[in-house]
Amino acid sequence: MPDLNRIIIKRLLLAWMMVSLLIGTGVFLIESARIDDAVIAVAETESQTDAKRFSFEEIGLKNATPADLIALNQQAAEAVRRNYVEMKGYDTAGALLFEAANPAFERLRVALPKDMVRFPADNAHHVQKLAVAGETVVQLQIPLKTEAGRLAGRIEAIFVVQPEDLARLDAELRRFLIIALLCIACTTLALYPVILSLNRRVVRF
């Protein structure tokens, strides 16, 4: 192989590795951020739907009857089975109205970090993605409203993202990375004959 070909191939390989590293890192960071947003969106959609299942008139701990609290705890026990580690409900004054835990995720509940961020008790919407015991969970705080739409307090919950959702998102990430690297490789290969031809013309002159 002529020295010129060897030099061109070495430089193209070096350029391919550098560009692949830069673009691959960029794609990975962008897609990872998109995956985080998608995970949070899944948790938010599910939790907001479940919050609407709590149908009751405005209740505070001071004026709640035993029957009211039993009904709320039953609704929470039913809701928490839908991919939640635990769920708690507070009235607008911050008093606990109901709480429930999912026995299927007891391992995760025990593993929750003791120094986990506590959202402000402002009855507003807050969300945070966490990794607990090898699982991806989303810590949520969503407003709790009455049937008339009045603010009645808040729900604090830990939502477990399903493995199939994570697998689908990871597959999308890998696909984007492979496509990006293949595009770079094809561009690099296409440049080889162009550069070789230009060098030959230079040599002729």
Coordinates of all heavy atoms in Angstrom, one line a residue, residues 7 14 17 20 25 63 73 147 157 167 185 189:
I7 N -1.3 7.0 5.1 CA -1.4 8.3 5.9 C -2.9 8.8 5.9 O -3.4 9.1 6.9 CB -0.5 9.4 5.2 CG1 0.9 9.1 5.5 CG2 -0.9 10.8 5.9 CD1 1.9 9.9 4.7
L14 N -8.5 8.4 12.7 CA -8.3 9.2 13.9 C -9.5 10.2 13.9 O -10.1 10.5 15.0 CB -7.0 10.0 13.8 CG -6.7 11.0 15.0 CD1 -6.7 10.2 16.3 CD2 -5.4 11.7 14.8
M17 N -12.7 8.4 15.0 CA -12.8 8.2 16.4 C -13.1 9.4 17.2 O -13.9 9.4 18.1 CB -11.5 7.6 16.9 CG -11.3 6.1 16.5 SD -9.8 5.3 17.2 CE -8.5 6.2 16.4
S20 N -16.7 10.5 16.4 CA -17.6 9.5 17.0 C -17.8 9.8 18.5 O -18.9 9.7 19.0 CB -17.2 8.1 16.7 OG -17.2 7.8 15.4
T25 N -21.1 11.2 22.4 CA -21.3 11.8 23.8 C -22.5 12.8 23.7 O -23.4 12.8 24.6 CB -20.1 12.5 24.3 OG1 -19.0 11.6 24.3 CG2 -20.3 13.1 25.7
N63 N -62.5 18.3 60.7 CA -63.9 18.1 60.5 C -64.2 16.7 59.8 O -65.3 16.4 59.4 CB -64.6 19.2 59.7 CG -63.9 19.4 58.3 OD1 -63.0 18.7 58.0 ND2 -64.5 20.3 57.5
N73 N -58.7 6.1 53.0 CA -57.7 5.1 53.2 C -58.0 3.9 52.2 O -57.0 3.3 51.7 CB -57.5 4.7 54.6 CG -56.7 5.6 55.4 OD1 -55.4 5.5 55.4 ND2 -57.3 6.5 56.2
E147 N -64.3 17.4 44.0 CA -65.0 17.2 42.7 C -65.3 18.6 42.1 O -65.4 18.7 40.9 CB -66.3 16.5 43.0 CG -66.1 15.0 43.4 CD -67.4 14.3 43.6 OE1 -68.4 15.0 43.9 OE2 -67.4 13.1 43.6
A157 N -46.3 10.8 46.8 CA -46.2 9.3 46.4 C -44.8 9.0 45.8 O -44.1 9.9 45.3 CB -47.3 9.0 45.4
A167 N -37.0 -0.3 29.3 CA -36.4 -1.1 28.3 C -36.6 -0.5 26.9 O -35.8 -0.4 26.0 CB -36.9 -2.6 28.3
A185 N -19.5 6.9 10.2 CA -18.6 5.9 9.5 C -18.8 6.0 8.0 O -17.9 6.0 7.2 CB -19.0 4.5 10.0
L189 N -16.0 7.0 5.3 CA -15.6 6.2 4.1 C -15.8 6.9 2.8 O -15.0 6.8 1.9 CB -16.5 4.9 4.1 CG -16.2 3.9 5.2 CD1 -17.3 2.8 5.2 CD2 -14.8 3.3 5.0

